[in-house]
Amino acid sequence: MDILYAFDGSAASYPFSVFNSWIGNWMGYEPFATSYLYVCILLASLPYCHTFSKDNKNQYILQYYCRIDKNKVHLAKFITTYVTGGMIVFIPVFLNLIMTMMFIPALKPIENGMFIGAGMTILSRLYYDNAFVYVAIYMVQFFIYGGAFSVIALAFSYFFDNSFLVMLSPFVAFFGLGVISTLCRRLFGLITFNPNVLMAPSHLLYDIEIIPFICEPIVITLISAYIFFRKGRNNEAI
């Protein structure tokens, strides 16, 4: 790859770098990279989200209950669903970063418009001083968000018998939060809690946005866990 393509030495140009070429840099700007934010949550539900609903529906879950403590069964389901959901979202982005690094040098970002805009944002200095740490934070966030939204399916499995609806519930929650966040921001001026924005490495966070950035996946996980384990105590799969 010609890394000097379109580089003319002016302040508004820059050679291809890992940090202005990997998929995370274009989330929110380029259609393919942006669409991944929606598709990844749908992918996160594919491996494991529907299994608990199917086991409940066909009574196979009783085979587990008669051999292992019910709480241990539910804990194993919850952890497995969280980890697989997180990995499904994390792995493609991580591979994209690694493959980009194989062909393009990791030139240090500069504030010339070819990289993420800086402004007065809480992570702007980190991005320009140590871009790898910035990217690592978002890599962890991809895993956390993937796991958080995948376990939503476990909570929904007690309300829907249809495994397809259960598998679709993480995506519906992801999209619904984005719509609600947009409405609240326009009507009441609230800070964004749109996961589509908070997950994008191309969106540098303002000071106040660090609250939903940290708390949103934790709250989603805790609510899903509360519903799943509370309902699970009385679950007899009948």
Side-chain angles (χ1 to χ4, degrees), residues 2 13 54 67 74 84 95 111 118-119 128 135 141 150-151 166-167 169 174 177 184 186 217-218 229 238:
D2 182 9
S13 64
K54 290 180 67 175
R67 290 173 171 81
H74 294 158
T84 53
L95 288 177
E111 299 181 55
Y128 288 102
V135 171
Q141 195 73 340
S150 65
V151 294
V166 172
M167 190 172 62
S169 60
F174 181 86
L177 275 175
C184 289
R186 290 179 179 176
I218 296 175
F229 288 108
I238 295 176

Side-chain angles (χ1 to χ4, degrees), residues 24-34 115-117 200-204:
N25 187 75
W26 296 104
M27 290 178 178
Y29 299 100
E30 196 268 337
F32 177 79
T34 304
F115 294 87
I116 298 172
S202 59
H203 176 78
L204 283 169

Side-chain angles (χ1 to χ4, degrees), residues 26-167:
W26 296 104
M27 290 178 178
Y29 299 100
E30 196 268 337
F32 177 79
T34 304
S35 64
Y36 179 74
L37 291 174
Y38 290 98
V39 174
C40 67
I41 299 300
L42 192 59
L43 291 175
S45 65
L46 293 180
Y48 213 76
C49 286
H50 66 290
T51 58
F52 187 79
S53 175
K54 290 180 67 175
D55 288 345
N56 257 341
K57 187 175 181 179
N58 60 24
Q59 305 286 299
Y60 191 77
I61 194 71
L62 296 177
Q63 299 292 327
Y64 297 127
Y65 289 164
C66 68
R67 290 173 171 81
I68 310 172
D69 179 73
K70 185 184 295 186
N71 291 329
K72 292 182 179 180
V73 173
H74 294 158
L75 181 61
K77 288 280 186 181
F78 191 87
I79 293 175
T80 304
T81 302
Y82 188 98
V83 172
T84 53
M87 292 303 292
I88 286 293
V89 176
F90 165 81
I91 288 175
V93 183
F94 180 71
L95 288 177
N96 176 271
L97 178 66
I98 294 298
M99 288 187 288
T100 304
M101 292 172 63
M102 292 173 63
F103 295 97
I104 304 175
L107 302 177
K108 186 176 181 179
I110 61 173
E111 299 181 55
N112 70 337
M114 300 299 291
F115 294 87
I116 298 172
M120 300 301 293
T121 54
I122 194 169
L123 294 179
S124 60
R125 290 273 53 90
L126 176 63
Y127 178 73
Y128 288 102
D129 292 341
N130 199 327
F132 276 112
V133 174
Y134 178 89
V135 171
I137 290 173
Y138 273 93
M139 286 295 179
V140 173
Q141 195 73 340
F142 272 108
F143 176 84
I144 292 174
Y145 263 95
F149 276 95
S150 65
V151 294
I152 288 177
L154 295 178
F156 272 78
S157 65
Y158 288 111
F159 302 100
F160 298 102
D161 291 332
N162 190 305
S163 59
F164 177 76
L165 293 178
V166 172
M167 190 172 62

